[in-house]
Amino acid sequence: MENRNQQSISLTFADNKLVIQSRPFRLDIVVKQHVVVSLNAQHLLKFEHLREKPSEPTPPPPPEQPAEGAENPSDTEQVEEKKEETAAGEEEKKETEENKEDDEPDMWEETFKTHKDTKPNGPTSVGMDIGFPGFDHVYGIPEHTDTLALQSTVGGEPYRLYNLDVFEYDLNSRMALYGGVPVMIAHNEQRTVGMYWNNAAETWIDISNTLADKSTLSKVVDFVKGTDDMPQVNTHWFSESGIIDLFIMLGPTANDVFYQYSKITGSTQLPPLFALAYHQSRWNYNDEEDVRNVDAKFDEHDIPYDVLWLDIEHTDGKRYFTWDVSKFPNSIDMINNISSKARKMVTIIDPHIKRDDNFKIHKEATELGLYVKNKDGSDYDGWCWPGSSGWFDFLSPNIRQHWASKFSLDEYQGSTLDLYTWNDMNEPSVFNGPEITMHKDVKHYGGWEHRDVHNIYGLYVQMATVHGQIQRSNGGLRPFVLSRAFFAGTQRWGAVWTGDNTAEWGHLKVSNPMLLSLNLVGITFSGADVGGFFKNPDTELLTRWYQTAAYQPFFRSHAHLDTRRREPWLLPEENTKIVRSAIRARYALLPYWYTLFYFGEKTGRPVMRPLWVEFPQDKTVFNEQDSFMIGSALLTHPVTEAGSQGFNMYFPGQGWYDVDTYKYYAGGQTHYIPVTLDKIPVYHRSGTIVPRKERIRRSSNLGRSDPYTFTICLDTNGQASGDLYIDDYHSFQYKSGHYSLRKFIYENNSLSNKNGDSQGMYETQSWLEKIIILGLTTKPNQADVSSPGQARSLEVSWNTDTNSAIIHNPRLNIAKDWIISLK
């Protein structure tokens, strides 16, 4: 405790200080003599108390009339009676005034269209203002089709977080979409801070940019000097119900904030390798013959893929965990045929259950009381794909376990361990509900109303499904579950996507800031439907979409039932070739992607990063959303404009190399980048090493022991570094030390391979096949290998156009220590 008086108290820890004022309440957080977060500076802290609805007032009895012949009361008696009546009237008036606030319109019941929402506790909202002095830019609070850097809401609608099934959603909107993460990050040239508003009810956020009140801040800490204006972002958070449960992440770097947040809600767990590869889906592949033909066509056209998906039409009348036996009579054989090429399948399993007394899942749910309840205790009944449906109450641990048990191979007949899961419609989507979702006054486990837990429902669906996949393999295999709805912490359970987008250029373009926002708040395993879910993309749009998605974390093509078929080979031959090249580029980089996801689990760092994360002091990139980083080594600017022949692109940092041509671009400058249809603008950062596997197989797992190619781009000091993570790519054994993390360092004209983590022990047959070195100032004459048990020289070739050296076939085991020296 640093200071205390009647009005305030100051608490210090490390370089930080909390200053709490009582009249009125205000809390300021100071980092190294700079106020970085202010709570309730605008006095917007509000919360409603829980109420009991007042009973209807009892009308007063009529005055008694004197009996005929009775004496009239004396004047004194009449005066006393009037006094008593006046006093009673005054007391009643006082009570009426006191209870007036509890009897306002919509206090106990609201109407939305034809829906009524009863509120047994009355209004229960909470809210508070949170300011960020010294900051101009804030990010996060997905999911919205808005800019990466959040905009002021003054004069417009606030940002809304309320998970909804939105049909053909609008662009440039703050409207609610399928998921909501109440996390905001503020960044300036000196530091990054973050906040997490832990509330799963409907939430709104207002944002305004203003100037900090220096006179007030100076009372907190003596640092506000000079005449320069200080920016400030003010935010106002308000939720329909719940409590104010606020976490502040003080950084001071973006990576520190990511790590701190991961300690609160968890990090993205390392997915199996196949999940990072290419996925082929549509609503719907019609039958087993259709599946067989699509699978064969990928091989015929030499296009790799890893996962084939089946939508709702594969079921028996929208009864999940079943198969339409007229279309899929031999589902196990079908799955085994796919998995014989190390590929997988996915089926959709939504949380709404068809109300059919002959359907086992529904019968059990009814008998065991597994469904969400109406306010009167009866089972909630809504409308979704099967018609009349019930919804499991996933807030209950026992009900989640019951759901998980349905994924066992005995229960889910016709499934195998190579069949994975897609949880759609889990906002939850209720076709005949208010805003196409569940009524707010239905009841969940623990007595919670749906209004209190709405935004977390979808997370619990995905959690239960993940537990089911893990249990069916006795804890041996990593799960893969895709969810449409999400909340803070969803990253622990699997992937998400941006929902039902449209085949338009604007939707392609907005996919990048939407996914960047998700990555900033921990949900790193995310993607957008390639080609757009609704409508039919033209040839150029579909081609560019594949190129863009090849550099986004989750890579899946998907389309609506009424769209034309759009598998890659149905494009004109030249476009098919370009799409093939984009997908193969993704497969070549899978070692790099997999390594990034490993570090993501350990540190909470995103794999898809805004430029400001890597270049935090360069204000030029604070609003940039068309260019972004994959890890710390690759910069990409996908082409998202129709007919583009080129664009101006800013390159931060020191220097960059085109991954195709090796052309060098100086950092800190804007360059004009010409593009053709077959070009994906991707650049390798100087000072980094990127691993690839250039032998592209039909699926990712077939290449697990294939050799590596390293591209080394030297910085101005002639140095570079990089990492490579290896394990068995599918099990949980890596958590027990069965992995290898290798650290590669190039300095003093030597490349060394060292163990990056002594806790990991894993052997592999993979070897180093080729090394490409860019940025050398002199031509090397030879390369010598030094490793235990061997010393030899290697062939080196030189390209005078790019000043690059290629070391051919070192044939060194990638998981062993060695050094290669250039002379």
Side-chain angles (χ1 to χ4, degrees), residues 612-665:
W612 64 260
V613 171
E614 289 295 318
F615 305 95
Q617 296 179 322
D618 189 343
K619 288 191 69 173
T620 308
V621 302
F622 288 4
N623 288 306
E624 179 57 54
Q625 61 184 29
D626 295 322
S627 299
F628 55 88
M629 299 291 297
I630 303 301
S632 61
L634 295 179
L635 165 65
T636 182
H637 187 303
V639 179
T640 58
E641 302 281 350
S644 177
Q645 296 181 344
F647 49 82
N648 290 315
M649 178 177 173
Y650 177 74
F651 288 81
Q654 191 181 96
W656 303 83
Y657 293 85
D658 185 300
V659 297
D660 298 316
T661 66
Y662 301 152
K663 180 180 178 180
Y664 179 77
Y665 292 87

Coordinates of all heavy atoms in Angstrom, one line a residue, residues 612-665:
W612 N 0.7 -4.8 -36.8 CA 1.1 -4.1 -35.6 C 1.6 -5.1 -34.5 O 2.4 -4.6 -33.6 CB 0.1 -3.2 -35.1 CG -1.2 -3.8 -34.6 CD1 -2.4 -3.9 -35.3 CD2 -1.5 -4.3 -33.3 NE1 -3.3 -4.5 -34.5 CE2 -2.8 -4.8 -33.3 CE3 -0.7 -4.5 -32.2 CZ2 -3.4 -5.4 -32.2 CZ3 -1.2 -5.1 -31.0 CH2 -2.6 -5.6 -31.0
V613 N 1.2 -6.3 -34.5 CA 1.7 -7.3 -33.5 C 3.2 -7.5 -33.7 O 3.9 -7.6 -32.7 CB 0.9 -8.6 -33.6 CG1 1.5 -9.7 -32.7 CG2 -0.6 -8.4 -33.2
E614 N 3.6 -7.6 -35.0 CA 5.0 -7.8 -35.2 C 5.8 -6.5 -35.3 O 7.0 -6.5 -35.1 CB 5.2 -8.6 -36.6 CG 4.7 -10.0 -36.5 CD 5.6 -10.9 -35.5 OE1 6.9 -10.7 -35.6 OE2 5.1 -11.7 -34.8
F615 N 5.2 -5.4 -35.6 CA 5.8 -4.2 -35.7 C 5.1 -3.1 -34.9 O 4.4 -2.2 -35.4 CB 5.9 -3.7 -37.2 CG 6.5 -4.8 -38.1 CD1 5.7 -5.7 -38.8 CD2 7.9 -4.9 -38.2 CE1 6.3 -6.7 -39.5 CE2 8.5 -5.9 -39.0 CZ 7.7 -6.8 -39.6
P616 N 5.2 -3.3 -33.6 CA 4.3 -2.5 -32.6 C 4.6 -1.0 -32.6 O 3.8 -0.3 -32.1 CB 4.6 -3.2 -31.3 CG 6.0 -3.8 -31.4 CD 6.1 -4.2 -32.8
Q617 N 5.8 -0.6 -33.1 CA 6.1 0.9 -33.0 C 5.9 1.6 -34.4 O 6.1 2.8 -34.4 CB 7.5 1.1 -32.6 CG 7.8 0.6 -31.1 CD 9.2 0.7 -30.7 OE1 10.1 0.5 -31.5 NE2 9.4 1.1 -29.4
D618 N 5.4 0.9 -35.3 CA 5.2 1.5 -36.7 C 3.7 1.9 -36.8 O 2.9 1.0 -37.1 CB 5.6 0.5 -37.8 CG 5.6 1.1 -39.1 OD1 5.0 2.2 -39.3 OD2 6.2 0.5 -40.0
K619 N 3.4 3.1 -36.6 CA 2.0 3.6 -36.6 C 1.4 3.4 -38.0 O 0.2 3.4 -38.1 CB 2.0 5.1 -36.2 CG 2.2 5.3 -34.7 CD 1.9 6.8 -34.3 CE 0.4 7.0 -34.4 NZ 0.0 8.3 -33.9
T620 N 2.2 3.3 -39.0 CA 1.7 3.1 -40.4 C 0.8 1.9 -40.5 O -0.1 1.9 -41.3 CB 2.8 3.0 -41.4 OG1 3.8 4.1 -41.2 CG2 2.4 3.0 -42.8
V621 N 1.0 0.9 -39.7 CA 0.3 -0.4 -39.8 C -0.8 -0.5 -38.8 O -1.5 -1.6 -38.8 CB 1.3 -1.6 -39.7 CG1 2.4 -1.5 -40.8 CG2 1.9 -1.7 -38.3
F622 N -1.1 0.4 -38.0 CA -2.1 0.3 -36.9 C -3.5 0.1 -37.5 O -4.3 -0.6 -36.8 CB -2.1 1.4 -35.9 CG -0.9 1.5 -35.0 CD1 0.2 0.6 -35.2 CD2 -0.8 2.4 -34.0 CE1 1.3 0.6 -34.3 CE2 0.3 2.5 -33.2 CZ 1.4 1.6 -33.4
N623 N -3.8 0.6 -38.7 CA -5.1 0.4 -39.3 C -5.0 -0.6 -40.5 O -6.1 -0.8 -41.1 CB -5.6 1.7 -39.8 CG -6.0 2.7 -38.7 OD1 -6.8 2.3 -37.9 ND2 -5.5 3.9 -38.7
E624 N -3.9 -1.2 -40.7 CA -3.7 -2.1 -41.8 C -4.5 -3.4 -41.6 O -4.4 -4.1 -40.6 CB -2.3 -2.4 -42.1 CG -2.0 -3.3 -43.3 CD -2.6 -2.8 -44.6 OE1 -2.2 -1.7 -44.9 OE2 -3.3 -3.6 -45.2
Q625 N -5.3 -3.8 -42.6 CA -6.1 -5.0 -42.5 C -6.1 -5.8 -43.8 O -6.6 -7.0 -43.9 CB -7.5 -4.7 -42.1 CG -8.3 -3.9 -43.1 CD -9.7 -3.5 -42.6 OE1 -9.9 -3.5 -41.4 NE2 -10.6 -3.3 -43.5
D626 N -5.5 -5.3 -44.9 CA -5.4 -6.1 -46.1 C -4.2 -6.9 -46.2 O -4.1 -7.9 -46.9 CB -5.5 -5.1 -47.3 CG -6.8 -4.4 -47.4 OD1 -7.9 -5.0 -47.1 OD2 -6.9 -3.2 -47.8
S627 N -3.1 -6.4 -45.6 CA -1.9 -7.2 -45.4 C -1.8 -7.8 -44.0 O -2.3 -7.1 -43.1 CB -0.6 -6.3 -45.6 OG -0.6 -5.8 -46.9
F628 N -1.3 -8.9 -43.8 CA -1.2 -9.5 -42.5 C 0.0 -10.5 -42.5 O 0.5 -10.9 -43.5 CB -2.5 -10.2 -42.0 CG -3.0 -11.2 -43.0 CD1 -2.7 -12.5 -42.9 CD2 -4.0 -10.8 -44.0 CE1 -3.2 -13.5 -43.8 CE2 -4.5 -11.8 -44.8 CZ -4.1 -13.1 -44.7
M629 N 0.3 -10.9 -41.3 CA 1.4 -11.9 -41.0 C 0.9 -13.3 -40.8 O -0.2 -13.4 -40.1 CB 2.3 -11.5 -39.9 CG 3.0 -10.1 -40.0 SD 4.3 -10.1 -41.3 CE 5.4 -11.3 -40.6
I630 N 1.6 -14.3 -41.3 CA 1.4 -15.7 -40.8 C 2.6 -16.0 -40.0 O 3.7 -16.1 -40.5 CB 1.3 -16.6 -42.0 CG1 0.1 -16.3 -42.9 CG2 1.1 -18.1 -41.5 CD1 -1.2 -16.2 -42.3
G631 N 2.4 -16.1 -38.7 CA 3.6 -16.1 -37.8 C 4.4 -14.9 -37.9 O 3.9 -13.8 -38.2
S632 N 5.7 -15.0 -37.6 CA 6.6 -13.8 -37.6 C 7.4 -13.8 -38.9 O 8.1 -12.8 -39.1 CB 7.5 -13.9 -36.4 OG 8.3 -15.1 -36.5
A633 N 7.2 -14.8 -39.8 CA 8.1 -14.8 -41.0 C 7.5 -14.5 -42.3 O 8.2 -14.1 -43.2 CB 8.7 -16.2 -41.1
L634 N 6.1 -14.7 -42.5 CA 5.5 -14.5 -43.8 C 4.5 -13.4 -43.8 O 3.6 -13.3 -42.9 CB 4.8 -15.8 -44.2 CG 5.7 -17.0 -44.5 CD1 4.9 -18.3 -44.9 CD2 6.8 -16.7 -45.5
L635 N 4.6 -12.5 -44.7 CA 3.7 -11.4 -44.9 C 2.9 -11.7 -46.2 O 3.5 -12.0 -47.3 CB 4.5 -10.1 -45.0 CG 3.8 -8.9 -45.6 CD1 2.6 -8.4 -44.7 CD2 4.8 -7.8 -45.8
T636 N 1.6 -11.5 -46.2 CA 0.8 -11.7 -47.4 C -0.2 -10.6 -47.6 O -0.7 -10.0 -46.6 CB 0.1 -13.1 -47.4 OG1 -0.7 -13.3 -48.6 CG2 -0.9 -13.2 -46.2
H637 N -0.5 -10.3 -48.8 CA -1.5 -9.3 -49.2 C -2.4 -10.0 -50.2 O -2.2 -9.7 -51.4 CB -0.9 -8.0 -49.7 CG -1.8 -6.9 -49.9 ND1 -2.9 -7.0 -50.8 CD2 -1.9 -5.6 -49.5 CE1 -3.6 -5.9 -50.8 NE2 -2.9 -5.0 -50.0
P638 N -3.4 -10.8 -49.8 CA -4.2 -11.5 -50.8 C -4.9 -10.5 -51.7 O -5.3 -9.3 -51.3 CB -5.2 -12.2 -50.0 CG -4.6 -12.3 -48.6 CD -3.8 -11.1 -48.5
V639 N -5.1 -10.9 -53.0 CA -5.8 -10.0 -53.9 C -7.3 -10.2 -53.7 O -7.9 -11.3 -53.9 CB -5.5 -10.4 -55.4 CG1 -6.2 -9.5 -56.4 CG2 -4.0 -10.2 -55.6
T640 N -8.0 -9.2 -53.3 CA -9.4 -9.2 -52.9 C -10.3 -8.2 -53.7 O -11.4 -7.9 -53.3 CB -9.7 -9.0 -51.4 OG1 -9.1 -7.8 -51.0 CG2 -9.0 -10.1 -50.6
E641 N -9.7 -7.7 -54.8 CA -10.4 -6.8 -55.6 C -10.6 -7.4 -57.0 O -9.6 -7.9 -57.6 CB -9.7 -5.4 -55.7 CG -9.4 -4.7 -54.4 CD -10.6 -4.0 -53.9 OE1 -11.6 -3.9 -54.7 OE2 -10.6 -3.6 -52.7
A642 N -11.7 -7.3 -57.6 CA -12.0 -7.8 -59.0 C -11.1 -7.1 -60.0 O -11.0 -5.9 -60.0 CB -13.5 -7.7 -59.3
G643 N -10.5 -7.9 -60.9 CA -9.8 -7.3 -62.0 C -8.5 -6.6 -61.6 O -7.9 -5.9 -62.4
S644 N -8.0 -6.9 -60.4 CA -6.8 -6.2 -59.9 C -5.6 -6.5 -60.8 O -5.3 -7.7 -61.1 CB -6.5 -6.5 -58.5 OG -5.3 -5.9 -58.0
Q645 N -4.8 -5.5 -61.2 CA -3.6 -5.7 -61.9 C -2.4 -5.3 -61.0 O -1.2 -5.4 -61.4 CB -3.6 -4.9 -63.2 CG -4.7 -5.4 -64.2 CD -4.6 -4.7 -65.5 OE1 -4.1 -3.6 -65.6 NE2 -5.2 -5.3 -66.5
G646 N -2.7 -4.7 -59.8 CA -1.6 -4.3 -59.0 C -2.1 -3.4 -57.9 O -3.2 -2.9 -57.9
F647 N -1.3 -3.1 -56.9 CA -1.6 -2.2 -55.8 C -0.4 -1.8 -55.1 O 0.7 -2.3 -55.2 CB -2.5 -3.0 -54.8 CG -2.0 -4.3 -54.4 CD1 -1.1 -4.4 -53.4 CD2 -2.4 -5.5 -55.0 CE1 -0.6 -5.7 -53.0 CE2 -2.0 -6.7 -54.6 CZ -1.0 -6.8 -53.6
N648 N -0.5 -0.7 -54.3 CA 0.6 -0.2 -53.5 C 0.5 -0.9 -52.2 O -0.5 -1.1 -51.5 CB 0.4 1.3 -53.3 CG 0.7 2.1 -54.5 OD1 1.7 1.8 -55.3 ND2 -0.1 3.1 -54.8
M649 N 1.7 -1.4 -51.7 CA 1.8 -2.2 -50.5 C 2.9 -1.6 -49.6 O 4.1 -1.5 -50.1 CB 2.0 -3.6 -50.8 CG 2.2 -4.5 -49.7 SD 2.3 -6.3 -50.2 CE 2.7 -7.1 -48.6
Y650 N 2.6 -1.4 -48.4 CA 3.6 -1.0 -47.4 C 4.3 -2.2 -46.8 O 3.7 -3.1 -46.3 CB 3.0 -0.1 -46.3 CG 4.0 0.3 -45.3 CD1 4.9 1.3 -45.5 CD2 4.0 -0.2 -44.0 CE1 5.8 1.7 -44.6 CE2 4.9 0.2 -43.0 CZ 5.8 1.1 -43.3 OH 6.7 1.5 -42.4
F651 N 5.6 -2.1 -46.8 CA 6.5 -3.2 -46.2 C 7.1 -2.7 -44.9 O 8.0 -1.8 -45.0 CB 7.5 -3.7 -47.2 CG 7.0 -4.5 -48.3 CD1 6.5 -3.8 -49.4 CD2 7.1 -5.8 -48.3 CE1 6.0 -4.6 -50.5 CE2 6.7 -6.6 -49.4 CZ 6.1 -6.0 -50.5
P652 N 6.7 -3.1 -43.8 CA 7.3 -2.7 -42.5 C 8.6 -3.4 -42.3 O 9.0 -4.3 -43.0 CB 6.3 -3.1 -41.5 CG 5.6 -4.3 -42.0 CD 5.6 -4.1 -43.5
G653 N 9.3 -3.0 -41.2 CA 10.5 -3.7 -40.8 C 11.7 -3.5 -41.7 O 11.9 -2.4 -42.3
Q654 N 12.6 -4.5 -41.8 CA 13.9 -4.3 -42.5 C 13.9 -4.7 -44.0 O 14.3 -3.8 -44.8 CB 14.9 -5.2 -41.8 CG 16.3 -5.0 -42.2 CD 17.3 -5.9 -41.4 OE1 17.7 -6.9 -41.9 NE2 17.6 -5.5 -40.2
G655 N 13.4 -5.9 -44.3 CA 13.4 -6.3 -45.7 C 12.7 -7.5 -46.0 O 12.5 -8.3 -45.0
W656 N 12.2 -7.8 -47.2 CA 11.4 -8.9 -47.5 C 11.8 -9.5 -48.9 O 12.2 -8.8 -49.8 CB 9.9 -8.4 -47.6 CG 9.5 -7.8 -46.3 CD1 9.6 -6.5 -45.9 CD2 8.8 -8.5 -45.2 NE1 9.1 -6.3 -44.7 CE2 8.6 -7.5 -44.2 CE3 8.3 -9.8 -45.0 CZ2 8.0 -7.8 -43.0 CZ3 7.7 -10.1 -43.8 CH2 7.5 -9.1 -42.8
Y657 N 11.5 -10.8 -49.0 CA 11.8 -11.5 -50.3 C 10.5 -12.1 -50.8 O 9.8 -12.8 -50.1 CB 12.8 -12.6 -50.1 CG 14.2 -12.0 -49.8 CD1 14.6 -11.7 -48.5 CD2 15.1 -11.9 -50.8 CE1 15.8 -11.3 -48.2 CE2 16.4 -11.4 -50.5 CZ 16.7 -11.1 -49.2 OH 18.0 -10.6 -48.9
D658 N 10.2 -11.9 -52.1 CA 9.0 -12.6 -52.7 C 9.3 -14.1 -52.7 O 10.4 -14.5 -53.1 CB 8.9 -12.1 -54.2 CG 7.7 -12.6 -54.9 OD1 7.6 -13.9 -55.0 OD2 6.8 -11.9 -55.3
V659 N 8.3 -14.9 -52.2 CA 8.6 -16.3 -52.0 C 8.7 -17.0 -53.3 O 9.2 -18.2 -53.4 CB 7.5 -16.9 -51.1 CG1 7.5 -16.3 -49.7 CG2 6.1 -16.8 -51.8
D660 N 8.2 -16.4 -54.4 CA 8.3 -17.1 -55.7 C 9.5 -16.7 -56.5 O 10.2 -17.5 -57.1 CB 7.0 -16.8 -56.5 CG 5.8 -17.3 -55.9 OD1 5.8 -18.5 -55.4 OD2 4.8 -16.6 -55.8
T661 N 9.7 -15.4 -56.6 CA 10.8 -14.8 -57.4 C 12.1 -14.5 -56.7 O 13.1 -14.3 -57.3 CB 10.3 -13.6 -58.2 OG1 10.1 -12.5 -57.2 CG2 9.0 -13.8 -58.9
Y662 N 12.0 -14.4 -55.4 CA 13.1 -14.0 -54.5 C 13.5 -12.5 -54.7 O 14.6 -12.1 -54.2 CB 14.3 -14.9 -54.7 CG 14.1 -16.4 -54.4 CD1 14.9 -17.3 -55.1 CD2 13.1 -16.8 -53.5 CE1 14.6 -18.7 -54.8 CE2 12.9 -18.1 -53.3 CZ 13.6 -19.1 -53.9 OH 13.4 -20.4 -53.7
K663 N 12.6 -11.8 -55.3 CA 12.9 -10.3 -55.4 C 12.9 -9.7 -54.1 O 12.0 -10.0 -53.2 CB 11.9 -9.7 -56.3 CG 12.1 -8.2 -56.5 CD 11.0 -7.6 -57.4 CE 11.2 -6.1 -57.6 NZ 10.2 -5.5 -58.5
Y664 N 13.8 -8.8 -53.8 CA 13.9 -8.1 -52.5 C 13.2 -6.8 -52.5 O 13.2 -6.0 -53.5 CB 15.4 -7.9 -52.2 CG 15.7 -7.2 -50.9 CD1 15.6 -7.9 -49.7 CD2 16.0 -5.8 -50.9 CE1 15.8 -7.3 -48.5 CE2 16.2 -5.2 -49.7 CZ 16.1 -5.9 -48.5 OH 16.3 -5.3 -47.3
Y665 N 12.5 -6.6 -51.4 CA 11.8 -5.3 -51.1 C 12.3 -4.7 -49.8 O 12.2 -5.4 -48.8 CB 10.2 -5.5 -51.1 CG 9.6 -6.0 -52.4 CD1 9.6 -7.3 -52.7 CD2 9.1 -5.0 -53.2 CE1 9.0 -7.7 -53.9 CE2 8.5 -5.4 -54.4 CZ 8.5 -6.8 -54.8 OH 7.9 -7.2 -56.0

